[in-house]
Amino acid sequence: MDHAPRVRALADADWPQVAALEAAAYAGSGLTEGQAALESRGRVSPGTCFVLDLGDRLGGYVLALPYPEAAFPDLTAPERAAHRTANLHLHDLVVDERLRGRGLGARLAGHLTAVAADRGFERMSLVAVAGLEGFWRGLGYRAHRDIEVPSGYGPHALYMSIRVPVRGPSYRKEAGR
């Protein structure tokens, strides 16, 4: 790495690198959505999508959008509009394979949790795929085995959630919550 990793807002120019990171992370799994679908998810909630900037390239990203509890994006369709809900769904978090094991995934997740708290979200959810339930459990997420996840998310996909710690009322006032 040329620079210390910095978490920043995802910019329009980042999408090709985000799509490449996604393609590499999910190669052979059938979970690759492609750039257009990823962009559609980022467009509905740009304030909750971030990248891990290494200076000369991206080392990872996180895409999250408001989604009702116990629901999740359709991987076969683009996102049309943001949902009005107190739940923020962490749709995708990827760290470049060469950078894994350095705590960068937890750093991205922690940044997103702080943003969720600042914006007044009460819960965060995700679908753990590719055997990553343990990673998410280590960050405090709880499995909901009673919630059926569509087969398109891959075998053993699991819906998980966590309560967001309360940090401040700023977003609730802005959003009229």
Side-chain angles (χ1 to χ4, degrees):
M1 288 185 285
D2 292 345
H3 293 84
R6 178 176 68 97
V7 178
R8 65 163 172 80
L10 194 153
D12 287 341
D14 295 329
W15 286 113
Q17 285 187 70
V18 167
L21 285 165
E22 187 236 17
Y26 299 118
S29 70
L31 295 175
T32 303
E33 294 179 82
Q35 185 170 330
L38 294 172
E39 282 187 47
S40 76
R41 302 193 202 299
R43 263 193 311 277
V44 301
S45 189
T48 57
C49 298
F50 304 95
V51 294
L52 188 62
D53 189 331
L54 303 178
D56 60 342
R57 66 185 170 93
L58 299 183
Y61 68 88
V62 61
L63 302 178
L65 60 159
Y67 233 81
E69 287 186 59
F72 15 77
D74 178 349
L75 298 181
T76 65
E79 215 55 53
R80 302 273 183 232
H83 295 270
R84 200 157 160 77
T85 177
N87 185 67
L88 182 65
H89 186 77
L90 194 166
H91 178 65
D92 201 11
L93 186 151
V94 169
V95 172
D96 185 312
E97 184 176 31
R98 297 166 291 186
L99 300 173
R100 292 184 188 154
R102 300 179 190 189
L104 297 172
R107 181 173 169 192
L108 280 169
H111 181 83
L112 181 63
T113 300
V115 168
D118 287 344
R119 291 182 171 233
F121 287 98
E122 296 170 7
R123 295 199 68 73
M124 289 178 57
S125 62
L126 58 85
V127 175
V129 298
L132 291 173
E133 176 188 349
F135 172 78
W136 295 112
R137 190 180 302 115
L139 294 179
Y141 283 81
R142 185 175 70 82
H144 300 278
R145 297 187 189 286
D146 57 321
I147 297 174
E148 191 173 332
V149 176
S151 63
Y153 277 85
H156 313 294
L158 182 62
Y159 184 84
M160 302 179 80
S161 71
I162 190 171
R163 181 160 295 287
V164 175
V166 176
R167 283 178 49 141
S170 63
Y171 183 72
R172 288 188 185 123
K173 287 180 185 172
E174 292 172 24
R177 293 183 186 205

